[in-house]
Amino acid sequence: MGSSPNSKPKIVRGSAGYILEDVPHLTDYIPELPTYSNPLQDNPAYSVVKQYFVHIDDSVPQKIIANKDSPRGIHFRRAGPRQKVYFKSDEVQAAIVTCGGLCPGLNTVIRELVCGLYHMYGVKKVLGISGGYKGFYAHNTISLTPKTVNDIHKRGGTILGSSRGGHDTTKIVDSIQDRGINQVYIIGGDGTQRGAYRIFEEIRNRGLKVAVVGIPKTIDNDIPVIDKSFGFDTAVEEAQRAINAAHVEAESVENGIGVVKLMGRYSGFIAMYATLANRDVDCCLIPETPFFLEGPGGLFEYTERRLKENGHMVIVIAEGAGQELVTESIQSMHKQQDASGNKLLQDVGLWISHKLKDYFAKQKTMGITLKYIGW
């Protein structure tokens, strides 16, 4: 997430086919940067733990399954605290901003950032940028302390507010420089992280000692190098309500079909996990697995057979599934983008609902009642 189209990955090669896709670092453009002991070394809660700090050369493989003759493959820099840091605690002026759509857990992330910086690293000056990226040059800020964020994890949304677009790299970096901010924590999705990388590039061009940290916000769980993205569990749990409602509607009528569209632009984790957890779903369609409508093994044939067997059916579909099946007239709209630069997907759930209705109307073998829920 978040790489600029014109940027080149930072590649480090080792023996036996080892490849490290590294992240940019301050030392790439500020040579001989002084380091300081990590404050955690003096924290009684952490100093007693053996091997608490991550070794500088630790990395995580992209693929955990390999055979004895295969190359070591692509690795990523392992996250975690280092023994040496590049900022003195009392010199840090941090800023936190949330951008894009809402996601469960945003306030929890803000709270943990503030409390972690304060209690673990001794950072007392943390600013919250209000209203997304435009808040940097609109001078909308609030002071964040452990006291002000103490119970925000109990609320939905984000206390900082959010918005799409509003990204003016020069104005943002001007504001960062004018305010003396030297650590920027940017919470957002694909478009936000692309903007974060442009901010980093401008900071690097100016030679500023400013760390830019991108915190990916995606309930889709579509980041392969982490176990789970924040908000995913809540999304799966809430999806159960939509599926349960569709199942009640479907089984209450003869040949009832419940179609539930769930979030999942390029991955079907929410749809798949919700299906596995619910047990009332007959068909789950995800972007990773192509499907077709007509002919043997198609969705129409399966739907008809399932209705004859069970009298009702529930279909769950991720929003990014089957986009290639949408008619050319609708696909011509696919070039549109939202304010964050993401392609606007067509409502494939509504489209499939119409296709199912048309199919059974032409077959005249059975009448159906279809309920569509877009979640």
Side-chain angles (χ1 to χ4, degrees), residues 11 18 44 95-96 121 150-151 153 208 211 226 258 265 331 343:
I11 302 296
Y18 176 89
I96 302 171
Y121 288 91
N150 182 54
D151 61 352
H153 59 294
L208 304 177
I226 64 175
R265 180 176 290 272
Q331 282 188 346
K343 289 182 179 179

Side-chain angles (χ1 to χ4, degrees), residues 193-341:
Q193 300 308 326
R194 285 191 291 268
Y197 195 86
R198 289 195 290 270
I199 291 171
F200 162 75
E201 288 180 320
E202 179 63 22
I203 286 172
R204 180 179 60 189
N205 292 338
R206 298 189 189 188
L208 304 177
K209 185 186 174 183
V210 178
V212 179
V213 181
I215 301 173
K217 170 183 64 66
T218 167
I219 64 171
D220 293 348
N221 201 35
D222 54 351
I223 307 174
V225 295
I226 64 175
D227 293 329
K228 196 179 295 182
S229 57
F230 73 87
F232 173 68
D233 283 339
T234 304
V236 172
E237 183 179 346
E238 290 298 314
Q240 303 300 308
R241 303 186 185 210
I243 296 174
N244 289 336
H247 182 249
V248 169
E249 294 269 2
E251 71 173 351
S252 298
V253 295
E254 184 180 4
N255 296 326
I257 301 176
V259 177
V260 181
K261 183 193 72 174
L262 299 178
M263 298 184 73
R265 180 176 290 272
Y266 301 117
S267 64
F269 285 103
I270 294 177
M272 182 180 68
Y273 274 65
T275 294
L276 292 173
N278 187 271
R279 314 310 296 175
D280 287 327
V281 179
D282 299 282
C283 180
C284 179
L285 305 173
I286 60 176
E288 294 89 337
T289 303
F291 65 93
F292 53 94
L293 299 180
E294 301 180 15
L299 180 62
F300 292 156
E301 181 192 67
Y302 176 73
T303 302
E304 189 169 1
R305 185 173 75 247
R306 188 61 181 154
L307 289 176
K308 290 178 180 178
E309 294 171 349
N310 202 41
H312 67 277
M313 180 179 183
V314 175
I315 301 171
V316 169
I317 180 168
E319 63 177 330
Q323 289 291 319
E324 71 281 357
L325 299 178
V326 183
T327 59
E328 286 296 325
S329 60
I330 298 179
Q331 282 188 346
S332 64
M333 299 168 58
H334 199 85
K335 298 178 182 179
Q336 296 180 2
Q337 296 180 334
D338 62 20
S340 297

Side-chain angles (χ1 to χ4, degrees), residues 16-18 66-75:
Y18 176 89
N67 59 58
K68 63 179 182 179
D69 298 320
S70 64
R72 296 177 64 188
I74 296 175
H75 288 64

Side-chain angles (χ1 to χ4, degrees), residues 16-240:
Y18 176 89
I19 301 173
L20 174 66
E21 289 194 4
D22 208 354
V23 293
H25 197 270
L26 288 170
T27 55
D28 295 340
Y29 62 92
I30 305 179
E32 300 180 2
L33 197 62
T35 59
Y36 312 95
S37 294
N38 193 319
L40 292 179
Q41 294 190 36
D42 302 319
N43 190 315
Y46 299 94
S47 59
V48 296
V49 181
K50 292 182 178 180
Q51 297 181 339
Y52 179 78
F53 295 104
V54 174
H55 191 275
I56 191 172
D57 291 327
D58 283 355
S59 61
V60 178
Q62 183 185 43
K63 296 181 178 180
I64 61 173
I65 299 176
N67 59 58
K68 63 179 182 179
D69 298 320
S70 64
R72 296 177 64 188
I74 296 175
H75 288 64
F76 303 101
R77 181 75 65 180
R78 184 186 175 196
R82 269 57 173 176
Q83 286 187 313
K84 298 293 183 180
V85 296
Y86 293 87
F87 295 91
K88 289 183 177 180
S89 299
D90 56 359
E91 295 177 354
V92 173
Q93 172 81 300
I96 302 171
V97 63
T98 54
C99 305
L102 296 181
C103 174
L106 277 172
N107 281 334
T108 301
V109 174
I110 295 169
R111 182 182 188 275
E112 295 308 307
L113 278 173
V114 173
C115 293
L117 286 168
Y118 190 96
H119 295 299
M120 298 169 68
Y121 288 91
V123 175
K124 311 298 183 185
K125 294 175 286 186
V126 182
L127 287 177
I129 308 298
S130 300
Y133 276 135
K134 62 183 179 182
F136 276 103
Y137 49 87
H139 302 287
N140 299 329
T141 63
I142 59 175
S143 178
L144 298 176
T145 65
K147 185 176 181 179
T148 60
V149 302
N150 182 54
D151 61 352
I152 64 171
H153 59 294
K154 301 174 184 177
R155 310 180 214 166
T158 163
I159 62 164
L160 298 178
S162 185
S163 65
R164 295 187 183 276
H167 189 281
D168 187 317
T169 305
T170 302
K171 287 184 178 180
I172 291 172
V173 178
D174 284 345
S175 176
I176 290 171
Q177 193 169 4
D178 292 344
R179 296 171 187 266
I181 296 169
N182 51 20
Q183 290 186 11
V184 185
Y185 297 88
I186 301 174
I187 309 169
D190 286 337
T192 300
Q193 300 308 326
R194 285 191 291 268
Y197 195 86
R198 289 195 290 270
I199 291 171
F200 162 75
E201 288 180 320
E202 179 63 22
I203 286 172
R204 180 179 60 189
N205 292 338
R206 298 189 189 188
L208 304 177
K209 185 186 174 183
V210 178
V212 179
V213 181
I215 301 173
K217 170 183 64 66
T218 167
I219 64 171
D220 293 348
N221 201 35
D222 54 351
I223 307 174
V225 295
I226 64 175
D227 293 329
K228 196 179 295 182
S229 57
F230 73 87
F232 173 68
D233 283 339
T234 304
V236 172
E237 183 179 346
E238 290 298 314
Q240 303 300 308

